[in-house]
Every structure is written in C-alpha cells, then in structure tokens.
Amino acid sequence: MAWALLASISLISAQQTSYLDSFVPEAMRQYNVPGAAVAVVQDGKVVYTKGFGVRALGTEEKVDADTVFLLASVTKALTGSLAGILVDQGKLDFDRPIIDYLPQFVHADPYVTRSLTMRDLLAQRTGWPAFAGDLLGQIGLTREQVLTRLRYLQPKTGLREVASYSNPGFFVAGMVEAAAGGASWDELMRREIYGPLGMSRSDTTHASLLGANTSRYHMLVEGRVQTIRAFNHDVLGPAGSASSTATDIAKWLQMMVSEGRFEGRQIIKQPTLDDILKRSMVSDVGFAEMPPISETTGFYYGLGVGSFDYAGVRVFEKGGGLPGVRTVIAMIPSKRAAIAVLSNMHMTVFPEAVRARWLAKTLGTSDEEVQKAIYAAQKKITEMFASVSSPADPRPCPYKEDSLLGTYANALYGEFRIVREGRTLVVRAGPMKGTLTHSDGGLFWLLWDAPGDLPSDMTFSIGKDGSAESFESELYGRFVRSKAG
C-alpha cells in the first residue's frame, strides 16, 4: 500500500515537471547554450534533477544531474545561509559591528568602520560603488591583502542609503564568517553546509572545477559559440567561487523552503531563516533583474538573496554570472517550491527563461509576454557587448603613445605598468595583462586578456615634458605615474 502511494506521488511529480523535458532543450537552442542542469523542489521534496546538452562544445561529454558547474554569484546565497548557521551557533550577530569580529577591517569612512554590520554586507547596503573593486581578486593579492586594500575603496553613497551590488562586500562577509567561525570560509562551507546536506560534489575552489564530470565555459565570439578558458575566482570566493551540481543544490533548496530542515535535522533555525529572507534593503530594478521582475513587482535585498512580489506570492531569487557561466535559483517558500538552473554559457538569460516557465507552471499563470520580454533583454545584452567601438572618423591621439610608457600607482589597486610589446601597448597589473588601444582624441580603451571582459576607458594627463603624469579611469580611479617607461 505504501509502495503504491509513493509510486503515485512520483507519477504526479513527473507529470508536473515533464514540461521541462521539452522546454529546456528548446530554450537552449534559442539562447545558444551548450549545456545545462536543472533541479526542482515541490512540496518540500526534490522532484526533478536532470542534465541537458554537453559539458564542452564539440565533445560528446553529456551533462547530467551530477555535473559540476561554477555557481558564480549564487554563491552569495550560500554565504548568506552560512552566516545564519553561525548566528544559530551564537558565533555571529547580523547587527553587531563587524570590527568586533574582524578588528583589522578599515573603511575609508571612520563612521562606517565603526558601524558596518553583517546585515549591511549581505543586503548590499555598504555604500561602495556597484562592481567596484572586483579586479582586486585577479591581480595576485591574498585575501588578507585585499582586506587591507579595501580601506582605499571610496564609497559612492552613505551607509544604508542606496542598494549597490558589491562583490567586495560579500568577500568581507566571508572574512567575517571565517573570523567568527574559527576556520576559513571554504572550510566553513564544507563543514556547515556541504557536509550536513550531503552535497558531496560541491566545493569552493578553482581546483575542484578541474575534475571529472565538470562543465566547461562558453561565450559568443564573433558570432560563434566557443569554449573559453577557466578563470580563477578563489580570492573573492565568498562572492562567487562556489560550485555545485543539480543533485547537490537541490538539497540546499529543499532545506531553504522547508523552514531550515533537511532529513529531520534543523540546519538553520526558522527565525534565523526568516531573518535571512526578510527584506533588509529596497533596490532599483537594474539590468540584471529579468522579467517578470519590474517596477510593479519591486525588488528587495535580503541576506544573500533578492525578492519580488509576483502573482500573489513572494519569490526569492539569486542569479550568477562569470565568464562562461550563468546560473539562477528561485524559491517560493510559501509553496515549499524552488528551482535551480545552471548553464555553461556567458551572458545568457536562458536561466531566467527556464525559471519564468517554472513560475508560470507553479503559479498557474501565463509566461508568454514574460518570455518575449526576456528574449528582448537578451538582444540588449548582446548589443551592449558589441557597442563599445571607436567612432567612424576618430580624431588622432594628440601625443605620442610612447609618452604613456611607465609605472602608475593607485592606493587601491597598486601598480599598473604600461609597456610596449611590439607595436602594441600593454598594461600589466600583477598577473593580469591587457591591451591599451587608442579610440578617439586621446581616449584609450583598456581590455584585459580575460574571457568576456568589456573595455574600460582611460584618459591621460600630459606634463610639460610631453610625458604622461597620470591617468583617469571611470572604473579604476586615478593613477599617478611613479616611474618612467
């Protein structure tokens, strides 16, 4: 009798998720995605884990439910849940100044140094400019050195004034967790989340992404999808280096929509989980928030997750994107339902298209107009990557390019060296290498040799002797020349 009941439940679950078997491959073709994996939780139970396509284009290496994907910024949701576990253990308080745990932390504003809390970090309300400081993770610094350098990251707004997406903010959150928990962030993730949930193929390091049954990375290059090299994101790890599979991430989602319980054990206490999901900061709807998120639904930050109101329910979501990968998780705790979509394609809205279809099926709505809007958003993203170019009739550079050669210093990023390699101007910052190309009338574009990177502007101040004295970059700030070329 019990066997028959379980078989009946399994059949119903299969029927409720069968639409994914056709929709996911169709969406993959539409958005040029080589491989993907999907996990679904319904009524607090994992009812669907499946892989689609290939791990690497041009191979027969199939994606399955146990294929490892880099999670990118979905890591932030895990970092938020780790904070909740440490709160339950009495080792951390969301609203206590972080200098109580991390006394070496210094902010550019002394008031913020004294007042910044874990809630501020996890709810993206630090006042740091959006996406500023990301390069710190790539120029050869240790985590401790990055923490020291952050005292030079100037805020754009006051503390708790405006929501602003900050990867360094989540890096600091991970450093606080390490200090409070008495182990590295990586070890705490394994000990407090991966281990108790049985997430045996999940990890936090670049090295773990080099093993068997691991997805590769892809992007559109000159109109053709190509495999690109992996990039190491370990230094700012708490913001984006976690990896997982459909099978594993389904267990974490199951816990998150089941009042913090997993297989009869309380992983996060319900009041703490409620605090994580509570709206701690209102945010504008930006380019990264895909339909159905709109001004009508609103968008808010909890602690590692965002939320919006749709079709009478509150939906919690976190997306991720790094060179060659896009991911999203969405949860409806009131229905004990969730989905994870992992893909190996750069700057694609494919994960949001799948989660929109899941939302429609779960909530009994139509997603026809939402899918059209998501596709339109994809076109805008593609155009954005193709839009940075020199004018048709550029003005010449008003000075000799060799006058730019030399070493330039900035308190936050350290030294940038501009050298000539053959006929090309090259910028070096630690292990990072980029090309410097003149665009128009003294405006240069810096393009790092990194998959999926967009160029950033650089303009130079020329001294009386005809040599550059400094340069300004909207993304990196002002650098002063310290050595001649």
Side-chain angles (χ1 to χ4, degrees):
M1 191 72 166
W3 178 88
L5 178 60
L6 287 173
S8 175
I9 292 173
S10 298
L11 179 61
I12 293 171
S13 297
Q15 291 172 340
Q16 289 175 336
T17 56
S18 61
Y19 66 91
L20 291 168
D21 291 338
S22 57
F23 182 81
V24 172
E26 176 187 334
M28 288 172 65
R29 286 190 293 271
Q30 183 177 25
Y31 292 105
N32 296 312
V33 174
V38 179
V40 176
V41 175
Q42 288 180 183
D43 298 320
K45 298 179 176 61
V46 178
V47 298
Y48 190 91
T49 55
K50 190 170 183 178
F52 301 84
V54 294
R55 305 197 297 269
L57 199 64
T59 74
E60 297 298 322
E61 301 171 351
K62 300 295 185 183
V63 173
D64 59 34
D66 295 314
T67 298
V68 176
F69 286 79
L70 177 65
L71 293 180
S73 281
V74 168
T75 301
K76 293 179 174 68
L78 296 172
T79 297
S81 60
L82 175 59
I85 291 169
L86 294 175
V87 167
D88 286 342
Q89 294 174 354
K91 298 176 180 178
L92 187 64
D93 187 311
F94 286 133
D95 298 304
R96 188 173 173 181
I98 66 167
I99 58 168
D100 289 351
Y101 309 100
L102 202 63
Q104 67 269 42
F105 173 77
V106 178
H107 191 276
D109 182 341
Y111 167 76
V112 179
T113 300
R114 297 190 301 270
S115 306
L116 189 70
T117 67
M118 197 67 167
R119 190 181 303 276
D120 297 324
L121 295 167
L122 297 175
Q124 301 286 17
R125 59 188 202 184
T126 63
W128 279 328
F131 302 104
D134 290 3
L135 186 65
L136 291 169
Q138 301 298 333
I139 56 177
L141 303 177
T142 65
R143 286 180 178 173
E144 290 72 21
Q145 289 170 330
V146 171
L147 186 65
T148 298
R149 291 278 186 92
L150 285 175
R151 69 189 63 196
Y152 303 114
L153 180 57
Q154 297 298 319
K156 184 176 181 179
T157 65
L159 181 64
R160 305 176 192 131
E161 285 184 1
V162 178
S164 186
Y165 197 91
S166 174
N167 288 307
F170 267 79
F171 160 76
V172 175
M175 295 294 281
V176 173
E177 290 172 342
S184 70
W185 170 79
D186 308 81
E187 178 56 33
L188 291 172
M189 287 283 288
R190 298 182 193 107
R191 188 176 77 196
E192 305 293 352
I193 294 181
Y194 294 156
L197 293 177
M199 297 171 67
S200 60
R201 285 186 54 76
S202 299
D203 210 317
T204 60
T205 66
H206 178 71
S208 68
L209 291 162
L210 305 177
N213 197 6
T214 301
S215 181
R216 301 298 102 190
Y217 310 86
H218 304 85
M219 68 178 293
L220 203 62
V221 180
E222 297 179 350
R224 186 166 63 91
V225 178
Q226 298 185 27
T227 304
I228 60 175
R229 74 179 190 276
F231 224 58
N232 190 318
H233 300 281
D234 287 359
V235 175
L236 298 187
S241 74
S243 59
S244 194
T245 69
T247 299
D248 277 5
I249 201 68
K251 298 173 182 178
W252 176 80
L253 289 171
Q254 185 181 10
M255 179 271 295
M256 292 291 287
V257 298
S258 301
E259 299 177 341
R261 295 184 65 80
F262 178 76
E263 295 183 349
R265 290 172 291 129
Q266 197 76 45
I267 306 299
I268 305 176
K269 294 178 182 177
Q270 184 179 348
T272 305
L273 183 58
D274 290 343
D275 210 7
I276 290 171
L277 299 178
K278 182 175 69 176
R279 291 173 170 174
S280 293
M281 191 67 183
V282 65
S283 175
D284 291 335
V285 176
F287 78 94
E289 282 72 57
M290 290 293 116
I293 303 173
S294 67
E295 297 299 333
T296 302
T297 67
F299 188 73
Y300 311 84
Y301 283 115
L303 305 186
V305 294
S307 68
F308 59 97
D309 296 314
Y310 181 64
V313 300
R314 184 165 293 181
V315 182
F316 297 86
E317 182 169 302
K318 186 70 195 83
L322 282 170
V325 62
R326 277 283 289 117
T327 59
V328 73
I329 57 102
M331 304 178 288
I332 310 174
S334 62
K335 292 186 174 293
R336 301 180 70 205
I339 189 171
V341 186
L342 316 176
S343 73
N344 58 14
M345 180 64 184
H346 184 65
M347 293 301 288
T348 178
V349 298
F350 159 80
E352 283 83 358
V354 177
R355 78 74 164 102
R357 176 56 54 93
W358 171 79
L359 282 173
K361 292 292 186 179
T362 302
L363 301 176
T365 62
S366 169
D367 66 334
E368 182 178 355
E369 294 304 315
V370 172
Q371 293 292 349
K372 290 179 181 178
I374 290 173
Y375 186 72
Q378 179 70 75
K379 292 184 67 176
K380 289 183 179 179
I381 291 171
T382 303
E383 290 168 1
M384 178 184 72
F385 269 81
S387 65
V388 181
S389 61
S390 297
D393 187 22
R395 293 167 295 172
C397 185
Y399 39 80
K400 293 181 179 180
E401 290 188 353
D402 280 354
S403 68
L404 310 181
L405 303 180
T407 301
Y408 299 77
N410 171 284
L412 179 61
Y413 295 106
E415 291 187 340
F416 278 23
R417 292 187 300 115
I418 301 179
V419 299
R420 186 173 285 283
E421 295 185 2
R423 303 180 67 177
T424 304
L425 288 180
V426 170
V427 180
R428 293 188 176 275
M432 289 289 286
K433 176 183 176 181
T435 56
L436 193 61
T437 306
H438 180 255
S439 173
D440 179 43
L443 171 67
F444 284 78
W445 290 117
L446 168 60
L447 182 62
W448 296 112
D449 182 18
D453 192 48
L454 280 172
S456 55
D457 64 291
M458 286 174 65
T459 56
F460 291 82
S461 296
I462 307 299
K464 292 180 180 180
D465 65 354
S467 297
E469 294 181 336
S470 64
F471 70 77
E472 293 275 352
S473 166
E474 183 178 358
L475 186 58
Y476 303 123
R478 184 169 186 263
F479 284 68
V480 176
R481 187 174 182 170
S482 58
K483 297 177 186 177

